[in-house]
């Protein structure tokens, strides 16, 4: 038997006092609020009263830390999964409001449908769908939790819904420590629920690519 549901969980708030685009840069850990948010996400999944048989996370620090309460609650060891990592972005380490004032950087914005500033949307979807397919078939029953990032989760949502991948990043429905759940029926993925179990009113969410 394959898995039953796959929950894509976004990491919690990141300690990012300079409010830069943190992309795949090292050293960006969860804030104290971020740790509480990750705990709230794990408690939400526990509240579904479903067994969790596998736990995967991106190799970045913020996702590994966000996986810790899931490991504690469900007694499963997190496994690093490179395919669910944050996309690359040429503006990594920069504060976007300042970077876009520099005319010599504008050429990176010439093709937003790709996007020209980072990893193509199609590449992100391909690796995410590959990771979901493998997790689904390799988990003998129960649910799978995958702790990932805003862009990969949102692009997975768009792909599963059959919507165009190019989008305005400001319109994403993927809050910090949100839980987007999917099931597979035959060869078709379907999104079954979306939840925001953590309070995000005062959260700083400016570093996502």
């Amino acid at each position: 038997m394959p898995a039953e549901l796959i929950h894509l969980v976004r990491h919690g708030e990141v300690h990012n006092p300079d409010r830069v685009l943190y992309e795949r840069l090292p050293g960006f850990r969860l804030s104290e609020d971020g740790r509480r948010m990750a705990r709230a996400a794990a408690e939400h999944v526990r509240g579904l009263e479903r067994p969790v048989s596998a736990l995967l996370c991106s190799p970045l620090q913020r996702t590994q830390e966000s996986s810790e309460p899931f490991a504690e609650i469900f007694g499963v060891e997190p496994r690093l999964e490179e395919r669910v990592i944050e996309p690359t972005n040429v503006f990594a380490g920069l504060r976007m409001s300042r970077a876009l004032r520099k005319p010599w950087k504008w050429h990176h914005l010439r093709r937003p449908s790709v996007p020209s500033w980072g990893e193509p949307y199609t590449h992100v979807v391909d690796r995410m769908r590959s990771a979901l397919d493998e997790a689904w078939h390799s988990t003998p029953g129960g649910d799978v939790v995958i702790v990932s990032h805003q862009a990969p989760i949102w692009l997975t949502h768009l792909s599963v819904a059959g919507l165009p991948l190019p989008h305005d990043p400001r319109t994403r429905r993927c809050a910090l420590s949100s839980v987007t759940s999917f099931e597979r029926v035959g060869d078709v993925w379907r999104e079954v629920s979306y939840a925001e179990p953590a309070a995000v009113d005062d959260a700083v969410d400016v570093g996502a690519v």
Side-chain angles (χ1 to χ4, degrees):
M1 293 292 291
E4 297 177 29
L5 291 179
I6 290 187
H7 308 285
L8 294 185
V9 178
R10 190 181 171 203
H11 61 78
E13 181 189 66
V14 175
H15 179 69
N16 184 15
D18 296 327
R19 303 197 174 193
V20 301
L21 196 75
Y22 35 66
E23 195 233 27
R24 300 182 182 182
L25 297 174
F28 282 90
R29 59 176 174 81
L30 292 185
S31 66
E32 289 304 310
D33 283 341
R35 288 188 173 275
R36 286 191 285 271
M37 296 169 85
R39 169 68 59 172
E43 293 288 355
H44 168 78
V45 175
R46 174 158 62 180
L48 300 177
E49 298 183 344
R50 303 177 57 87
V52 171
S53 303
L55 173 62
L56 287 68
C57 66
S58 145
L60 298 179
Q61 182 176 350
R62 57 189 179 273
T63 41
Q64 291 192 56
E65 291 176 347
S66 295
S67 75
E68 290 172 1
F70 288 93
E72 176 188 332
I73 288 173
F74 294 104
V76 289
E77 282 295 317
R79 177 167 61 85
L80 300 186
E81 174 52 77
E82 186 75 31
R83 288 173 291 184
V84 303
I85 198 171
E86 184 87 276
T88 56
N89 193 296
V90 298
F91 296 108
L94 302 176
R95 193 165 182 166
M96 287 301 297
S97 59
R98 296 174 183 171
L100 295 180
R101 295 179 194 148
K102 305 180 187 300
W104 57 89
K105 294 187 180 294
W106 293 350
H107 71 281
H108 293 303
L109 307 176
R110 68 190 182 280
R111 295 178 64 199
S113 62
V114 175
S116 51
W117 54 79
E119 183 180 3
Y121 292 140
T122 54
H123 291 188
V124 179
V125 168
D126 286 348
R127 59 180 171 82
M128 287 293 291
R129 294 289 287 265
S130 172
L132 265 66
D133 288 346
E134 183 176 308
W136 182 266
H137 289 297
S138 65
T139 304
D143 291 1
V144 179
V145 170
I146 302 178
V147 186
S148 184
H149 307 268
Q150 185 188 69
I153 295 172
W154 182 243
L155 288 165
T156 301
H157 157 80
L158 294 176
S159 172
V160 167
L163 297 172
L165 300 182
H167 65 281
D168 182 342
R170 295 170 296 183
T171 66
R172 293 171 182 162
R173 182 217 61 187
C174 188
L176 293 163
S177 291
S178 59
V179 181
T180 310
S181 302
F182 299 85
E183 67 176 358
R184 182 171 169 137
V185 180
D187 293 331
V188 179
W189 283 102
R190 299 191 309 188
E191 183 174 324
V192 296
S193 65
Y194 171 78
E196 296 181 3
V200 297
D201 291 345
D202 298 324
V204 176
D205 187 11
V206 295
V209 305

